[in-house]
Amino acid sequence: MSVHLEPATESLPPAPHAEPAVLARGVWFGYHPRRPVLRGVDVTARAGEVTVLLGASGSGKTTLLKLIKGLLATGQGEITVLGRSSRAGGRPSALDARVAYIPQQLGLVRNLSVLDNVLVGAMPRIGTARSLLHWFPRDEIVAAHAVLQSLGIGNKAAERVLSLSGGERQRVAIARALLQRARVIVADEFLSQLDPVTTDEIMTVMHQIAAQGVALVMTTHELDVVTRHADRVVVLRDGLKALDCPAAEVTSDSLARAIRQ
C-alpha cells in the first residue's frame, strides 16, 4: 500500500536546518486562573517526522495539540505553525486549513458514508454551505476516492462509518486529513482501542504520509509506539517538559521512568 498526497501539495521533506513546521516557545496555558496546564513548554516538530507526546492524564498533551491547531489561545509564549505565529492574548482570525486535527474519537459522523466523511476535508476550499448541501465538485470527489483507494479502503466509500472496524475508521479520519491537504497533522490518542497489528498498519501509513513532507504530532499512552514508530519523543509531566529527544535514544523503560518521576 502506498499513500500519496494531492499533487498540488506534495513536496520533498525539508533540509535538516529548515524552519520547523511547529515551534512552541515558552507556552503557558490554563483553563482556570492559578491552575496552569502547561508551564513554559518548548516543543519543535519538523516536516517529514513523527513527533510523539507522552505523559500521564492531565499532563497537557491534548491541550498542546489544541494550541497547535489554534482551537485555544496561549496564555503566555508563542506558537508558530507553518510560519504563522500566535502569541499570548490572541488567536488566528481563522483556523489554518493546512493543520488537520484528529481527535481521540476521530470526529467522524457515524451515520454518513465514508465518502461523505472524507469530503469534509474539502470544506476549506469549497465553503461550509456547499459542504452541508453535499455540493462537491467532481474533482474533489475523484480525489476523495483516490485517497481512500491509496489507504486500502476504496471499496468502503459507500458504507456508513458505523459499520466499519476500528482500523477502517482510523483510515477514514486520515483520508479526511489528506483531502484537507494538511501539512501538519495533530492526532490525539487516535490509536486507542486498536490491536497491535492494526496499530502497526496505521503507523506505517502515517510514516508514508510524513515522508512526503508532513509533520505529524500525536499523543499516545502506548510506549511501544514510540520505540517502534516515532522519530522524536516529548514527555510532559505536570505541565512541564520532562524529556525531549530522538526516539532512537530511549527505551520503553526509560520513557516509563520519565513519565512517573
Side-chain angles (χ1 to χ4, degrees):
M1 180 175 61
S2 179
V3 179
H4 297 284
L5 299 179
E6 285 295 292
T9 63
E10 190 169 356
S11 63
L12 293 174
H17 301 294
E19 188 72 17
V22 177
L23 179 61
R25 293 181 288 196
V27 172
W28 286 72
F29 181 85
Y31 294 97
H32 304 286
R34 301 181 182 178
R35 283 192 284 172
V37 177
L38 295 172
R39 299 186 284 166
V41 170
D42 298 331
V43 171
T44 298
R46 294 189 178 278
E49 294 185 348
V50 176
T51 301
V52 175
L53 305 179
L54 288 178
S57 296
S59 62
K61 304 184 303 297
T62 297
T63 296
L64 183 55
L65 293 188
K66 290 182 177 179
L67 286 164
I68 293 171
K69 172 57 183 172
L71 297 171
L72 299 172
T74 180
Q76 297 180 39
E78 180 180 5
I79 296 180
T80 301
V81 182
L82 299 171
R84 186 176 184 180
S85 179
S86 176
R87 295 179 175 83
R91 67 173 65 191
S93 57
L95 296 179
D96 193 333
R98 300 173 299 169
V99 182
Y101 178 58
I102 303 178
Q104 184 172 357
Q105 301 303 321
L106 303 181
L108 302 175
V109 182
R110 294 164 60 89
N111 286 324
L112 290 182
S113 71
V114 166
L115 182 63
D116 284 337
N117 273 275
V118 173
L119 284 167
V120 170
M123 187 182 296
R125 294 188 295 278
I126 68 172
T128 303
R130 294 181 68 186
S131 295
L132 293 175
L133 294 171
H134 299 278
W135 289 350
F136 294 100
R138 178 172 174 76
D139 61 336
E140 298 288 2
I141 295 173
V142 170
H145 278 289
V147 169
L148 288 170
Q149 191 67 35
S150 74
L151 291 169
I153 53 172
N155 61 327
K156 302 287 184 177
E159 295 188 20
R160 290 187 179 186
V161 165
L162 58 82
S163 70
L164 303 182
S165 67
E168 289 168 342
R169 291 177 187 176
Q170 252 80 5
R171 283 177 166 82
V172 176
I174 294 167
R176 180 185 59 200
L178 291 180
L179 196 69
Q180 189 174 324
R181 301 177 185 172
R183 307 316 302 168
V184 173
I185 299 176
V186 290
D188 189 14
E189 296 286 351
F190 82 127
L191 300 175
S192 61
Q193 302 179 354
L194 293 183
D195 62 82
V197 172
T198 305
T199 293
D200 283 347
E201 291 175 352
I202 295 297
M203 286 309 302
T204 297
V205 169
M206 298 311 293
H207 265 291
Q208 291 176 352
I209 293 167
Q212 296 177 69
V214 175
L216 171 63
V217 185
M218 58 177 284
T219 67
T220 184
H221 287 292
E222 303 295 332
L223 301 185
D224 285 349
V225 170
V226 177
T227 56
R228 290 169 61 86
H229 299 291
D231 296 300
R232 190 162 197 89
V233 58
V234 177
V235 175
L236 298 179
R237 189 173 65 242
D238 299 325
L240 297 169
K241 187 171 70 173
L243 180 70
D244 185 348
C245 67
E249 297 180 2
V250 297
T251 64
S252 293
D253 288 342
S254 65
L255 289 172
R257 288 194 297 271
I259 292 169
R260 290 195 304 265
Q261 288 176 350

